[in-house]
DNA sequence: GATCCACAGGAAATAGTGGCTT
DNA sequence: AAGCCACTATTTCCTGTGGATC
């Protein structure tokens, strides 16, 4: 019996599903002509053996920042090879998510050294030492270096790195090599956290990526669907709907593509020959749920336990709760899973404030004077069931 | 008007891991 | 082995804060 379980299964709708995955890099970029143009102008100095400008890119997730950057750099590298006037070009990328200056510098050094040489130590050395080493490595190779720092707003102490790097030549740390920094951020307010000196060096060229509107998303989806799906696998109204939903929510191509892919999965599950509006509607729920679950998994254990505590309280009808009550529930839950709880209220409050910042919680100020003092009340912004469900599965896995 | 509640929020200390150089 | 270094996650300590209560 069980041998036949998979016997009849075929991929009916997808021709090449990987085209709808997050890693896929299209070789043609649609709907970003202006940005590509601006980018090209910003980097053209590289071709003439001059110091490259620093470029700063912003825009929300899934609006093509990374895709366009890779596309441009690929083209730039190709062009540099054709020209004599251009120095050798070295491009190194780094995702700075939750990163420190030391680790970023280390990763750049290792990028330059390549796999065949000894890796720079993870710890044990001063950050200034790491910077010196980086400059030495660069000078050894000479040529033009472009450092792409993705999610640069998550880098703590951006100021030191962004101060040192672009000025290395002026300060005599570099003699043969040239540097350009390409900073990518999805946070518009990031600018204000920069020191004034850094601001005007890094921000020589700024390019803003705006969210896609429904029409743009539609043409992106049509493009992808053409290649990823078999002919006539998707009703055109379904594409239109996916584009409209994504445009209304985030304006992100990634979200639109997720909807299409998930819609395809659902259509296959119900043995439908085409993806319909209804499948997209149902995909929207799944995609949303999946996103929440992933975000939860990224949290520290104590962060998760605290969210679970609040979810449990809310499920019991205790609407907004203050931190003291959360602590009690948290201690219970921690014990029931067999973990050690945090001992101080302050620690709980630290986490609560983090979780609020990340958008998991909403809080309101309260002041009951002598009868209750000033405090916050917290509330989940998520469905408590999703939290409890996710937590359950995380505990079972481990 | 003084006092007090129950916190908030920031800074600094502490603890612990891992690893470098000399 | 001693002395530094990076990094993380707490904890300890301190200085507000605003309305209710005395």
């Amino acid at each position: 019996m069980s041998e036949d379980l998979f016997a009849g299964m075929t991929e009916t709708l997808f021709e090449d599903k990987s085209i709808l995955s997050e890693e896929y890099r299209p070789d043609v970029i649609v709907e970003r002509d202006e940005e590509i143009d601006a980018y090209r102008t910003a980097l053209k100095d590289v071709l003439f053996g001059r110091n490259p400008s620093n470029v700063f890119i912003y825009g929300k997730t899934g609006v093509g920042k990374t895709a366009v950057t890779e596309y441009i750099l690929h083209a730039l590298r190709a062009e540099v090879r054709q020209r004599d006037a251009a120095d050798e070009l070295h491009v190194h990328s780094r995702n700075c998510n939750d990163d420190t200056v030391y680790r970023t510098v280390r990763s750049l050094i290792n990028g330059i050294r390549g796999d065949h040489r000894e890796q720079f130590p993870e710890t044990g050395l001063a950050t200034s030492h790491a910077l010196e080493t980086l400059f030495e490595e660069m000078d050894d190779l000479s040529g033009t270096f472009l450092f792409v720092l993705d999610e640069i707003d998550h880098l703590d102490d951006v100021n030191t790195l962004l101060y040192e790097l672009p000025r290395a030549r002026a300060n005599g740390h570099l003699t043969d090599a040239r540097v350009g920094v390409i900073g990518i951020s999805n946070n518009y307010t990031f600018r204000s956290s920069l020191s004034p000196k850094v601001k005007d060096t890094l921000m020589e060229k700024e390019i803003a990526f705006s969210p896609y509107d429904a029409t743009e998303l539609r043409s992106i989806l049509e493009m992808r669907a053409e290649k990823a799906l078999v002919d006539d696998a998707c009703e055109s109204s379904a594409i239109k709907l996916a584009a409209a939903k994504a445009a209304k929510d985030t304006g992100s191509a990634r979200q639109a593509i997720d909807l299409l892919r998930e819609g395809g999965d659902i259509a296959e599950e119900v043995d439908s020959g085409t993806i319909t509006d209804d499948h997209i509607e149902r995909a929207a729920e799944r995609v949303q749920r999946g996103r929440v679950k992933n975000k939860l998994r990224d949290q520290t254990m104590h962060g998760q336990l605290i969210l679970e505590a609040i979810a449990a309280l809310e499920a019991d009808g205790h609407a907004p709760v203050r931190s003291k009550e959360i602590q009690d529930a948290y201690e219970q839950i921690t014990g029931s899973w067999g973990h050690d709880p945090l001992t101080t209220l302050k620690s709980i409050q630290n986490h609560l404030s983090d979780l609020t910042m990340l958008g998991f919680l909403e809080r309101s100020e309260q002041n009951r004077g002598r009868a209750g003092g000033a405090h916050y009340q917290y509330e989940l912004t998520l469905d408590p069931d999703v939290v409890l469900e996710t937590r359950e599965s995380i505990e079972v896995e481990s």
Side-chain angles (χ1 to χ4, degrees):
Chain A
M1 187 65 202
S2 64
E3 302 91 76
D4 300 336
L5 208 51
F6 290 95
M9 287 195 101
T10 45
E11 273 209 319
T12 49
L13 294 173
F14 294 108
E15 195 171 305
D16 183 355
K17 202 169 174 180
S18 71
I19 290 175
L20 298 180
S21 76
E22 204 174 310
E23 299 83 51
Y24 177 75
R25 293 281 168 257
D27 37 359
V28 184
I29 306 239
V30 289
E31 305 291 349
R32 291 277 96 144
D33 294 345
E34 272 175 47
E35 288 82 357
I36 289 174
D37 227 41
Y39 225 138
R40 211 173 49 188
T41 320
L43 292 178
K44 69 174 189 308
D45 280 349
V46 174
L47 298 174
F48 313 118
R50 291 201 287 261
N51 266 343
S53 307
N54 298 308
V55 186
F56 188 65
I57 308 286
Y58 19 72
K60 292 270 160 52
T61 1
V63 294
K65 302 188 299 291
T66 319
V68 169
T69 301
E70 282 179 19
Y71 173 78
I72 282 280
L73 290 176
H74 183 78
L76 185 67
R77 258 189 293 224
E79 184 63 27
V80 162
R81 276 197 289 272
Q82 306 289 313
R83 301 203 182 208
D84 297 334
D87 287 336
E88 202 181 336
L89 179 66
H90 312 274
V91 178
H92 296 282
S93 305
R94 170 70 176 175
N95 188 303
C96 304
N97 200 354
D98 236 357
D99 217 347
T100 62
V101 174
Y102 184 88
R103 277 203 289 260
T104 304
V105 173
R106 169 173 184 269
S107 136
L108 294 177
I109 293 172
N110 287 338
I112 294 171
R113 286 184 174 177
D115 293 334
H116 56 285
R117 285 178 53 199
E118 196 191 350
Q119 300 285 289
F120 195 76
E122 280 178 34
T123 166
L125 298 178
T127 304
S128 56
H129 182 113
L131 266 169
E132 271 174 42
T133 311
L134 176 63
F135 294 142
E136 281 167 22
E137 294 284 348
M138 289 169 69
D139 256 348
D140 277 356
L141 276 180
S142 83
T144 304
F145 288 80
L146 281 178
F147 294 138
V148 182
L149 305 177
D150 205 346
E151 300 194 62
I152 196 172
D153 50 315
H154 289 297
L155 179 62
D156 68 44
D157 205 8
V158 208
N159 285 316
T160 36
L161 184 64
L162 295 185
Y163 185 79
E164 291 293 337
L165 226 38
R167 274 159 221 265
R169 207 177 160 85
N171 292 348
H173 298 302
L174 285 180
T175 49
D176 299 327
R178 303 170 191 282
V179 220
V181 176
I182 298 175
I184 303 179
S185 163
N186 48 29
N187 182 1
Y188 283 85
T189 56
F190 166 65
R191 312 187 65 212
S192 55
S193 67
L194 294 173
S195 81
K197 283 180 199 162
V198 168
K199 210 179 284 181
D200 48 56
T201 34
L202 177 65
M203 311 272 177
E204 282 178 332
K205 301 276 165 60
E206 288 181 34
I207 305 171
F209 283 61
S210 49
Y212 292 111
D213 65 27
T215 323
E216 290 166 334
L217 285 175
R218 199 171 157 187
S219 82
I220 293 170
L221 279 183
E222 274 163 3
M223 183 97 188
R224 295 278 186 113
E226 171 82 16
K227 290 186 188 170
L229 303 175
V230 298
D231 289 346
D232 300 321
C234 190
E235 290 179 4
S236 72
S237 69
I239 285 189
K240 201 172 161 187
L241 180 63
K245 274 183 168 299
K248 196 175 167 197
D249 188 9
T250 57
S252 140
R254 186 167 310 153
Q255 187 185 17
I257 291 164
D258 284 347
L259 284 174
L260 184 62
R261 190 193 55 242
E262 204 63 47
D265 282 342
I266 290 172
E268 279 193 345
E269 279 165 30
V270 299
D271 282 327
S272 164
T274 53
I275 304 171
T276 66
D277 287 14
D278 181 45
H279 299 142
I280 298 292
E281 290 285 357
R282 285 162 61 186
E285 268 174 57
R286 269 201 210 177
V287 169
Q288 166 66 16
R289 226 175 159 78
R291 273 208 309 217
V292 171
K293 288 191 169 187
N294 278 338
K295 276 172 69 184
L296 277 173
R297 282 169 190 278
D298 285 343
Q299 300 310 305
T300 61
M301 188 182 72
H302 291 300
Q304 289 182 21
L305 287 164
I306 287 169
L307 286 172
E308 186 181 353
I310 302 172
L313 286 167
E314 282 195 14
D316 280 350
H318 298 270
V321 272
R322 58 157 76 190
S323 53
K324 195 65 192 293
E325 299 171 74
I326 294 172
Q327 188 183 25
D328 293 342
Y330 157 84
E331 279 169 0
Q332 288 244 319
I333 282 168
T334 307
S336 75
W337 291 120
H339 298 300
D340 291 331
L342 296 174
T343 55
T344 59
L345 183 58
K346 173 72 181 172
S347 317
I348 308 286
Q349 287 164 342
N350 283 343
H351 275 111
L352 286 171
S353 130
D354 284 351
L355 292 167
T356 307
M357 211 84 96
L358 291 168
F360 288 104
L361 300 173
E362 218 157 63
R363 71 182 182 192
S364 54
E365 288 177 70
Q366 300 284 310
N367 198 333
R368 305 256 165 73
R370 212 167 189 175
H375 59 273
Y376 286 134
Q377 294 213 305
Y378 296 89
E379 222 170 338
L380 276 180
T381 57
L382 303 70
D383 181 357
D385 291 338
V386 178
V387 177
L388 296 173
E389 210 175 279
T390 312
R391 278 289 306 142
E392 181 79 39
S393 61
I394 290 173
E395 288 293 339
V396 171
E397 281 164 26
S398 58

